[in-house]
Amino acid sequence: PAPDARARALAFLALVTGGVGIGITEFVTMGLLPQIAEGAGVSIPMAGHTISAYALGVVVGSPLIALGAARLPRRAVLVVLMLVFTVGNALTALAPTYELLIVARFLAGLPHGGFFGLAALVAVLAACSAAPNHQEYRPPTQRVAGEPAAILLNGDRMEVRWSDGDSFKFLDGPY
């Protein structure tokens, strides 16, 4: 049975919210490198490895999640991916050493590709169930709207303004 309009709206809100969260986590690091370097006691180029660690997590996690979760319930997989993402970011914010910061960023990156791929699939399937003749394709666009929203909400100037006068851990989510 097709989900009702309210359930679809809540599902799309959850997908967009996840996209915004992942997008902010991915992009905020670039604008906070000086604060990350200072907080971790390393140089700015060394702090840049936090970006690489996240990217490596994406590269490793995407195919593993695609293979490992293919036959599992989509909703449960999305929830687990967001839990791993949240734990990775909490560990990032609490990391007492540079090495643990790198490991936490890698962990936070693992669910990235799997979430976006599965979220797109869920959005398309929901759109098809809402419009059996495949007349409506807005939901994938709405889900993808999370990424540009994260970019717009997350300019370098805003990141620095949020963190000035405090450590990079001020943001307490993505950092």
Side-chain angles (χ1 to χ4, degrees):
D4 67 356
R6 183 170 186 264
R8 278 195 315 274
L10 288 174
F12 293 132
L13 177 63
L15 297 176
V16 169
T17 302
V20 168
I22 288 175
I24 287 174
T25 296
E26 178 181 13
F27 296 118
V28 75
T29 308
M30 292 174 263
L32 292 174
L33 284 179
Q35 290 83 1
I36 294 169
E38 183 180 332
V42 298
S43 67
I44 292 174
M46 287 291 289
H49 291 145
T50 61
I51 296 169
S52 300
Y54 185 90
L56 187 59
V58 175
V59 169
V60 169
S62 297
L64 292 178
I65 291 165
L67 292 172
R71 292 182 172 23
L72 299 175
R74 293 179 192 105
R75 181 178 178 175
V77 171
L78 286 169
V79 169
V80 168
L81 291 175
M82 289 314 294
L83 286 173
V84 171
F85 171 77
T86 302
V87 167
N89 283 301
L91 292 174
T92 296
L94 301 172
T97 66
Y98 173 74
E99 293 77 17
L100 289 175
L101 176 64
I102 293 296
V103 171
R105 287 289 291 164
F106 176 82
L107 178 64
L110 287 173
H112 180 118
F115 176 85
F116 278 119
L118 190 53
L121 176 64
V122 167
V124 168
L125 292 174
C128 290
S129 71
N133 295 329
H134 309 288
Q135 296 168 353
E136 184 178 338
Y137 289 98
R138 277 182 275 150
T141 308
Q142 292 167 350
R143 194 275 313 156
V144 175
E147 192 82 10
I151 294 168
L152 289 173
L153 292 171
N154 192 36
D156 286 349
R157 301 278 184 245
M158 185 180 293
E159 295 157 7
V160 172
R161 187 169 46 249
W162 282 347
S163 64
D164 279 352
D166 204 338
S167 78
F168 70 93
K169 294 181 180 183
F170 171 79
L171 293 178
D172 247 354
Y175 277 103

